[in-house]
Amino acid sequence: MIFRKINKGSQSITSVTSGSSSSSGAGNEDNSLKPNLPAWDILEAVPYVVDAALTACAHGRLSPRELATGLKDLADFLPASLATIVSYFSAEVSRCVWKPVVMNGMDWPSPAANLSNVEDHIKKILAATGVDVPRLSAGDSSLATLPLPLAAFVSLTITYKIDKASERFLNLAGPALESLAADCPWPCMPIVASLWTQKAKRWFDFLVFSASRTVFLHNSDATVQLLKSCFTATLGLNSAPISSNGGVGALLGHGFGSHFCGGISPVAPGILYLRIYRSMRYIMFINEEVISLLMHSVREIACSGMLKQKIKKLKTSKNGMKYGQVSLAAAMNRVKLSASLAASLVWLSGGHGLVHSLIKETLPSWFISVHRSNREEGSGLVAMLEGYALAYFTVLCGAFAWGVDSSSSTSRRRTKILGSHMEFLASALDGKISLGCDGATWHAYVSGFVSLMVGCTPNWALDVDVGVLSRLSKGLRQWDEEELALALLGIGGVATMVAAAELIIEHCDS
């Protein structure tokens, strides 16, 4: 039915329209060739038929045009076969066993007409991130290649007209084609976008935007640069117009598309990250990179011109305390903003699994590791802000994952993870674990983490072993944090009443 020209030799075939789609062959011949079988039997055979057709095409026994029109005839005859065809192509692309084919405009459609235009627009979209876009066409776009299953799939899709009759097919094949091309090596998605924009110019913005996100899916360095751009834009740490004022507006921008003045403009980094995070294959590096970027942003905040000027005023002003309070409060607000962004990125990227890995593994490793000391003026302030930033970041990640009370089903998961982290804090305060981080950073982190837990998530303490809370409280008392130590025991419930009473008696005696 679908390869009658191959079966009957090279004879002229007239085209006849039946219903909403066109297929080859005379009407009577069409009816006689259509299999009179149950639909389930046909669906069961579709993968074998498509595999045989693709193999024949790979060996030159079936032309690409005949392959595309044959598959279209099959899909027109039994629309349910579309899902099986899409599934087969997706599976075959992931196997990576088919040789690539050259999209030269003769055997296969060519993207040469607007491949360079797609490349220019991708560069414009990513301009605000500082990411280098790999070259699409090294002087000769006719050498563009695609894996054979992907080339067959995109050839099949462009045989359909963009009308109401083909809507059911495009609604299924469109998202599948985008996802499949994005998973293939660069520059498969830009090539697919170039082919489709020749057919549907009104979809240009969407297709180019989809192609631009694939830059990050195959390059972890580009993803790290995008994360850095998210921090830079949110905090307003550079002079770029899109992020000079900082805040959520700079992070997410104000839209995308060529309908804005001046054509397509750079897309805000937050929007780009929202488009790629679900498709990232490897996410475990996100924790370390986000912590590194958080610490870098804290140092930028602490050493910014505003803070340095106010530190000088603190030294020279008669009312220095006022200037110092304003300076530190402004810095803390920006540190909290940076920590909020960091927690949001971790939670978005990996959900519970990434948060649990962060609290149980990444953070303890960071505190134990030796970090480059900063001996510049104000380094004590930097270390303190780093500790508070990490505390705010950790508590927010925990709140995203577990909630602040025990009403959510996810709160059951926090007993083990939070207990492990609190045990680490207590053991370090007991001197059983050697730390490599700055002492001021550690002090600020522990006191900040406990303060936030007492003030915002008191129910968390009920999941922690009483002995661990008592040891942690004892360590806080050694830092002269009497009120915080008592408050920690106060949220521990009935089980910590004895330890709290002993602390009060000791304080009264002293």
Side-chain angles (χ1 to χ4, degrees), residues 37 53 127 210 241 316 346 385:
L37 296 168
S210 296
T316 58
V346 168
L385 290 176

Side-chain angles (χ1 to χ4, degrees), residues 32 81 169 311 357 368 480:
S32 64
S81 64
F169 175 84
I311 288 175
S357 175
I368 293 172
D480 294 327

